[in-house]
Amino acid sequence: MKFPSLCPVVGRGALLVTLLWGAGRLAAADLPALWKERVKSVVAVEFFTETELDRRPSVVFGIVADQAGDIALPPGVINPRVTAKQLKDFRVYLPGEPVGNYAHADYVGEDNLSSWNFIRVEEKLRPQLTPITAFAKAGAGEPAMAEEVWGIGLRGKDEDFLPYLLTARIGMLQSLPERTGIALSEVAAPGLPVFNQDGALAGVAVGGFGSSYIQYSGRGGGTPVMLMNVEESRVFQLTGAVLPWFSRVPAKPDGRPIPWFGAYGLEPIDPEVATMLKLDNQAGCVVSQVLEGSPAEGAGLKERDVLVAIDGKPLPRLKPDRVVVDYFEREIDRRAPG
């Protein structure tokens, strides 16, 4: 018996889906039911940024975080230099519904740790939404290499944000430092969920990843270029990495207090230096600069010191080596000031 195979979207028009019956896995009759329920966990969001000169619209996609109507918007979709007072007129659209039937929402704030932003939709729309946590099955575990996963994409506003299916097999699993899956082709729109064949939440797609190429012309040699699909992504952070973010809804638009460390320019320790310092089996971050009056200076840190642990817990060995710097900075951000 063959496991089910889901063909990806063809072009920008109709969907082409082929289903093969599987033994003990996703059957053809199961997918429509899974799809119908899981598409209720995603929405499209339009908002306006007002400045002294203009009023700019933006359209992003979001995930339903909880029963209170909180919608999580992925990092980067709201300019960090924009104040909460400049964000106006949030509108929430259900996928595939006429865009005239939108509901209003209020900006709740940004979580400083995850950089996810949150809005809260008005009550009339909440009964039609399903929190993504409803599909985070306990004990589902991490997806396996070569496993087939599927996700949701949304068309544009001019097409009523029509939802469509994307699917691919996992080509790589890696810690970056969040545990991340990289599929062989696009598997969901950035900020939207990815599921395994049983319909359990496998993760959330992230943007910002592209494919590198060399472009040749008759006038000269090759030029490195990077092609990026802004509407779809093949990279997704796994459930264990992203699920905690959806419970970190800020109490106010200003967000939580941000911890400050004061050691900058961190670099992964060079392998040869690690050998000389007898740190062959230990990850470390080298301090390049310590700011005057900072907590780092108060703790006695100096330039060229090597950080090997946080609260006595050794830093993990991650590949590539530079990822340990992101891990260290993220762990500092998890702490409360003081």
Side-chain angles (χ1 to χ4, degrees), residues 275-303:
T275 300
M276 182 180 64
L277 297 177
K278 299 181 180 181
L279 295 174
D280 300 51
N281 297 317
Q282 168 68 61
C285 296
V286 181
V287 176
S288 297
Q289 181 182 7
V290 178
L291 295 187
E292 184 178 350
S294 69
E297 184 188 54
L301 284 180
K302 300 182 182 300
E303 294 180 7

Side-chain angles (χ1 to χ4, degrees), residues 61-304:
F61 302 148
I63 291 179
V64 182
D66 53 40
Q67 295 283 2
D70 293 314
I71 308 295
L73 308 180
V77 299
I78 294 180
N79 190 330
R81 293 187 292 272
V82 171
T83 66
K85 293 181 179 179
Q86 292 177 288
L87 301 174
K88 306 289 186 180
D89 197 11
F90 282 85
R91 305 174 182 181
V92 178
Y93 302 88
L94 294 179
E97 294 292 324
V99 293
N101 297 340
Y102 65 83
H104 293 284
D106 296 319
Y107 182 65
V108 177
E110 179 185 2
D111 174 41
N112 67 283
L113 174 58
S114 66
S115 296
W116 283 75
N117 286 268
F118 291 85
I119 62 173
R120 185 165 297 147
V121 69
E122 59 181 319
E123 291 187 10
K124 73 174 186 179
L125 194 66
R126 297 177 191 177
Q128 303 178 61
L129 304 175
T130 301
I132 195 64
T133 51
F135 310 118
K137 298 180 180 178
E142 181 176 294
M145 283 286 295
E147 180 177 345
E148 191 167 24
V149 292
W150 59 277
I152 301 172
L154 298 180
R155 305 294 290 223
K157 183 178 179 181
D158 58 337
E159 298 179 68
D160 293 332
F161 299 111
L162 185 69
Y164 61 91
L165 177 72
L166 288 163
T167 183
R169 292 191 181 275
I170 296 176
M172 180 180 291
L173 294 168
Q174 194 171 5
S175 297
L176 296 174
E178 291 83 2
R179 196 64 176 155
T180 302
I182 303 176
L184 298 179
S185 61
E186 283 71 20
V187 72
L192 296 191
V194 176
F195 304 96
N196 66 16
Q197 295 191 47
D198 296 321
L201 180 67
V204 175
V206 294
F209 289 82
S211 299
S212 297
Y213 295 87
I214 299 293
Q215 177 177 299
Y216 290 94
S217 69
R219 297 182 178 179
T223 303
V225 297
M226 175 173 285
L227 300 182
M228 186 177 300
N229 185 347
V230 298
E231 297 180 347
E232 300 162 351
S233 176
R234 65 178 62 193
V235 182
F236 61 100
Q237 293 180 349
L238 303 191
T239 301
V242 297
L243 201 59
W245 304 151
F246 300 137
S247 63
R248 294 178 58 89
V249 181
K252 54 184 180 179
D254 293 336
R256 295 179 173 86
I258 299 175
W260 178 46
F261 185 52
Y264 284 86
L266 299 181
E267 296 287 343
I269 188 171
D270 182 87
E272 294 183 0
V273 175
T275 300
M276 182 180 64
L277 297 177
K278 299 181 180 181
L279 295 174
D280 300 51
N281 297 317
Q282 168 68 61
C285 296
V286 181
V287 176
S288 297
Q289 181 182 7
V290 178
L291 295 187
E292 184 178 350
S294 69
E297 184 188 54
L301 284 180
K302 300 182 182 300
E303 294 180 7
R304 300 180 185 176

